[in-house]
Amino acid sequence: PADIGLSTQSLESILSQEEHRVTQLAECARPGWRRQSVTANNHTPGLHASPGLSDESMGGTGWGDLIHRLLEQLVLRPSLTREQLASLARWFTYDTPELAEHLDTALDTLEKIRGSEFWGRVLAAKQRLVEVPFGKRAGNDLLFGTIDLALEQAESWDIVDYKTDRKNLDQI
């Protein structure tokens, strides 16, 4: 090989600098933050209001999804009848047949909500927003999630997070 005039010490110095550069590039490529779901961060396993379905099962999360989707429709169109909600429920549970026997319970739940003081606040709101995405940086974490319902009241906003896994249906 041709002699290019580098000593062994110079070559070792160049290799060391290159290793340092590669290490720094790898450090720069790693995110300085972590993305974290607020829901996942605050979930308490074992608590559920689903009718005979645990929140660990497909049916348990399916129950929560069903109630959320039906409430979203009801908030957007408060005049929906029970029959119209039943049609929506059948559509929403097409791919979760294990929920079919619980549709009446879901509809009864919505009727309890419609008869509550909470529903009066929903109807009285100047503006109703559903499924509102949000994100907030907290140190090196990026917390993100979706607000189930935001209600603009006279001088403030009500932020609502539906929790089908926290209370039994009689407590709604």
Side-chain angles (χ1 to χ4, degrees), residues 99-120:
L99 286 174
E101 67 186 82
H102 302 291
L103 294 186
D104 281 337
T105 303
L107 297 171
D108 291 344
T109 299
L110 294 175
E111 290 306 319
K112 285 182 182 182
I113 291 169
R114 272 206 256 221
S116 70
E117 181 182 321
F118 163 74
W119 191 248

Side-chain angles (χ1 to χ4, degrees), residues 45-94:
L47 299 175
H48 53 87
S50 49
L53 303 169
S54 76
D55 54 293
E56 288 85 17
S57 72
M58 175 56 187
T61 58
W63 169 258
D65 291 344
L66 173 61
I67 296 298
H68 273 71
R69 292 179 78 185
L70 289 170
L71 276 171
E72 178 181 348
Q73 293 302 310
L74 194 55
V75 166
L76 293 173
R77 299 179 298 174
S79 64
L80 286 172
T81 66
R82 184 180 176 101
E83 292 74 28
Q84 290 169 321
L85 288 166
S87 292
L88 286 169
R90 284 189 296 276
W91 177 255
F92 293 155
T93 59
Y94 177 78

Side-chain angles (χ1 to χ4, degrees), residues 17-34:
Q17 289 173 3
E18 182 60 18
E19 285 175 10
H20 180 69
R21 186 183 73 79
V22 168
T23 301
Q24 285 182 320
L25 284 173
E27 182 70 25
C28 289
R30 188 176 41 206
W33 50 270
R34 138 181 100 124

